[in-house]
């Protein structure tokens, strides 16, 4: 799992989750699930940790990764559905996780394909990260809430249109956003303006989280 973490996020050793943490997560009521290729090699994994919210148990899905050669083949979806099935068997109705609003493909998967909802965000949730795609910028994150037995979720995972509120505002993501986002730490001082752009876009989306929630569109836009 260490190698897959580094390949997926580009972490340095400081940010890699050690194997013993996966053992602890499973033993205290969390989840550690793997997807394997026919030859037995690890194709992907998901890890969650247990928590309490308003007096009820829930799971925080901290990490999900899929190996490069198995992406866009439904592996991540199957891991999430396995998490859901296990949670419901244990009487857990809620799973949460955080995600970067600038990763629009992932956002679309979370909200439209899984039926998660978003009402809140936290600026710089993890602090400065060594993740390659973070580029040393603040880790602003939206919070996904996956209410596992609701109509919205059951419709979404069945491939049907999940219920949603009316769209009041659309926020377009500039096509350069991923290029800006991947500017590395240590770039020349002249790159400062580009470095600030992802944070500004991110804050524009995150500041509107709340009310009936926000929704991700395929074409690089958020709907509030």
């Amino acid at each position: 799992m260490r190698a897959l973490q580094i390949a997926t996020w580009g972490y340095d050793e400081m940010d890699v989750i050690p194997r013993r943490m996966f053992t602890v997560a499973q033993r205290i009521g969390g989840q550690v699930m793997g997807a394997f290729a026919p030859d037995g090699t690890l194709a992907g994994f998901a890890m969650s940790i247990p928590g309490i919210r308003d007096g009820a148990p829930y799971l925080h899905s901290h990490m999900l990764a899929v190996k490069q050669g198995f992406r866009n083949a439904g592996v991540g979806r199957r891991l999430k559905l396995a998490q859901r099935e296990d949670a419901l068997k244990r009487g857990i109705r809620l799973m949460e996780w955080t995600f970067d609003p600038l990763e629009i493909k992932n956002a679309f998967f979370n909200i439209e394909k899984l039926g998660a909802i978003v009402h809140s965000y936290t600026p710089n949730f993890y602090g400065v990260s060594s993740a390659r795609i973070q580029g040393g910028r603040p880790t602003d994150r939206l919070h996904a809430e996956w209410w596992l037995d609701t109509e919205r979720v059951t419709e979404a995972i069945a491939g049907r249109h999940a219920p949603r509120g009316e769209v009041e505002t659309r926020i377009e993501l500039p096509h350069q956003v991923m290029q800006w986002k991947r500017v590395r730490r240590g770039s020349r001082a002249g790159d400062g303006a580009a470095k600030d752009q992802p944070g500004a876009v991110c804050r524009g989306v995150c500041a509107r989280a709340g009310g009936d929630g926000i929704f991700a569109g395929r074409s690089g836009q958020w709907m509030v």
Side-chain angles (χ1 to χ4, degrees):
M1 293 186 185
R2 173 184 173 277
L4 186 48
Q5 290 180 62
I6 294 172
T8 302
W9 292 287
Y11 288 149
D12 62 24
E13 291 295 334
M14 177 182 70
D15 284 329
V16 170
I17 302 296
R19 183 172 57 184
R20 62 182 177 274
M21 183 59 199
F22 289 88
T23 301
V24 170
Q26 178 128 15
R27 290 187 179 239
I28 65 173
Q31 298 170 322
V32 178
M33 299 180 174
F36 296 88
D39 64 0
T41 58
L42 184 68
F45 73 85
M47 187 264 275
S48 69
I49 53 179
I52 299 290
R53 173 172 163 174
D54 298 327
Y58 77 99
L59 290 166
H60 178 84
S61 184
H62 178 58
M63 188 172 277
L64 188 151
V66 177
K67 195 174 181 178
Q68 180 67 47
F70 296 92
R71 293 174 190 168
N72 301 312
V75 176
R77 181 178 185 274
R78 291 170 68 182
L79 284 167
K80 295 305 294 184
L81 294 183
Q83 286 184 310
R84 176 178 182 266
E85 180 180 3
D86 172 74
L88 288 173
K89 283 181 179 178
R90 293 195 274 152
I92 298 172
R93 299 184 57 244
L94 173 64
M95 178 171 285
E96 295 182 348
W97 61 90
T98 66
F99 66 96
D100 185 341
L102 299 184
E103 296 283 349
I104 195 69
K105 182 179 178 181
N106 185 41
F108 184 83
F109 171 71
N110 290 334
I111 297 172
E112 302 299 326
K113 295 298 185 182
L114 295 179
I117 60 175
V118 175
H119 291 295
S120 61
Y121 86 104
T122 301
N124 204 22
F125 183 81
Y126 296 106
V128 176
S129 170
S130 63
R132 177 181 56 250
I133 62 174
Q134 200 65 40
R137 297 185 183 86
T139 50
D140 294 355
R141 292 292 184 267
L142 290 169
H143 297 269
E145 300 177 16
W146 203 24
W147 292 94
L148 304 174
D149 58 356
T150 59
E151 178 188 7
R152 174 172 170 78
V153 171
T154 54
E155 290 293 296
I157 64 176
R160 296 186 287 269
H161 187 70
R164 64 161 62 159
E166 292 186 9
V167 175
E168 298 180 3
T169 306
R170 295 178 185 268
I171 305 169
E172 297 285 343
L173 293 186
H175 70 275
Q176 309 100 317
V177 72
M178 295 313 295
Q179 179 183 349
W180 292 336
K181 192 169 180 292
R182 286 176 168 83
V183 173
R184 298 286 190 95
R185 286 175 291 180
S187 297
R188 295 185 306 273
D191 294 331
K195 281 190 171 187
D196 290 341
Q197 290 290 345
V201 174
C202 184
R203 289 187 293 273
V205 174
C206 290
R208 290 167 173 81
D212 291 330
I214 59 179
F215 308 96
R218 281 185 182 275
S219 58
Q221 64 177 208
W222 283 93
M223 294 167 282
V224 182

